[in-house]
Amino acid sequence: MKLFEPATLGPCRLKNRLIRSATFEGMADHQGYPLPEYRLLYKTLASGGVGGIITGFAYISSEGKAMQPGQVRIDRQEMVQYFLPVTNEVHKYDCKIFMQLAHTGRQTRKKETGQDVWGVSNKKSLYFRGSPRELATEQVYALVKRFAEAAGYAKAAGFDGVQVHAAHGYLIHQFLLPSINCRTDEFGIDAKSRIGTEFLGLVIQEIRKTCGYDFALLVKVSGDDDYFTKFTSEQFGNLIRFLDTQKVDGLEISYGTMDHALNIFRGEIPSKVLLRHNPVFKTNHGIRKILHNSLIFCLMRVKLKPFSPTYNLEYAKIAKALTTIPILSVGGFRKGVEMRECLENGFADFISLCRPFICEPNLAEKLKQDLNYSAQCINCNVCAIMCDSDQPTRCYQKYSNS
């Protein structure tokens, strides 16, 4: 029953090794203030028996807001009062909660943010398309401070820690990747490790200065990407070695970037829902729509990786061999037996799940009662595509044609 044994992430002792991985909520108003549904969501998850919760990503600076409506903000002191009721509610159930901090970098659109799009370089995103402006060196240092300030607000709001989002092609990940980072200042690619860790390192150090070591600091990374200039296993290993020197409190191992978002979560492509709700793909022009979408879907399918159980576990194993930092493995866990075997074999220290908790918020209690239980999520991915709509995130299994 190792899955339900207590374990620690830095200063935090969790009652079990099940983590609700960061999942976009879509439960904020247009100014980024959490709605009552946000508090209810986390109360429901905590009451369902999970050991720890990582929130959906919150933006630390307004130009780094996601294009999806309903994202929460954590970029100012006044947000503390809005999140305190959430953390108080979660803690009633002996559950820990960590806020995920993010800046989208080039992975957003001016149409939605109302501001210029900024990135590590001026290289375009395949998916978001618009040309970003390259951050000046002084702007990068300013963003280091913004991450630390956001972490300070999260601590004041009662969160047990933060997770720095350094995966999925967002800003910190952009600094890490040679395929995107062509800078010539101190934030460029290191010739020896062939990754760009200076920005991430400063963010970690500044958060420690602001919040101390009694506040958990987790980092989320991608094991690989889908760009032509491949992020190699050697580069991934160098990233883990770097984070080991930083002595963070937990590493969550994910995959990919938003340029090929379906490879982050895998499964079905609900094309009708995608064309109806996705702001990048939907268009009212008949012939243009047909040609455009035919090309896009052909490219998507060429790059598409099929769903398979525990599909990121190989990267978790690599990380586990290179550091003593607790490893959270996310991606493709559906059966209790898979989770048990992963932990008992020492492949990871925690199991992270996203979509299964959308489908079954009380999944932890079901697994506790029957460790052979299988989650009911069928990987239809309608919930993921609907993050682009103005609807709060929920399971659509019963409404797959919506």
Side-chain angles (χ1 to χ4, degrees), residues 235-295:
Q235 288 167 304
F236 176 64
N238 288 337
L239 174 58
I240 300 302
R241 291 184 186 93
F242 167 77
L243 288 165
D244 184 67
T245 67
Q246 301 297 300
K247 300 303 179 187
V248 298
D249 298 313
L251 296 177
E252 188 175 28
I253 313 299
S254 188
Y255 181 94
T257 75
M258 287 298 293
D259 281 328
H260 300 284
L262 289 169
N263 284 343
I264 297 174
F265 44 86
R266 307 185 193 183
E268 298 297 320
I269 306 177
S271 55
K272 289 183 180 179
V273 181
L274 183 72
L275 295 176
R276 186 178 303 169
H277 295 284
N278 183 281
V280 173
F281 291 139
K282 67 182 180 181
T283 174
N284 296 320
H285 299 284
I287 296 176
R288 176 184 168 188
K289 180 177 181 178
I290 294 170
L291 293 174
H292 175 267
N293 292 331
S294 295
L295 175 62

Side-chain angles (χ1 to χ4, degrees), residues 136-149:
T137 303
E138 58 269 23
Q139 289 176 292
V140 179
Y141 280 107
L143 284 172
V144 170
K145 296 289 187 182
R146 298 303 293 269
F147 269 100
E149 289 167 357

Side-chain angles (χ1 to χ4, degrees), residues 348-362:
D349 301 287
F350 291 85
I351 304 297
S352 289
L353 304 101
C354 169
R355 286 167 292 174
F357 277 117
I358 298 176
C359 184
E360 300 171 273
N362 62 340

Side-chain angles (χ1 to χ4, degrees), residues 22-42:
T23 306
F24 184 73
E25 309 97 354
M27 295 177 182
D29 64 20
H30 69 283
Q31 292 182 313
Y33 295 91
L35 297 168
E37 296 97 310
Y38 185 93
R39 179 179 175 182
L40 178 60
L41 167 69
Y42 289 116

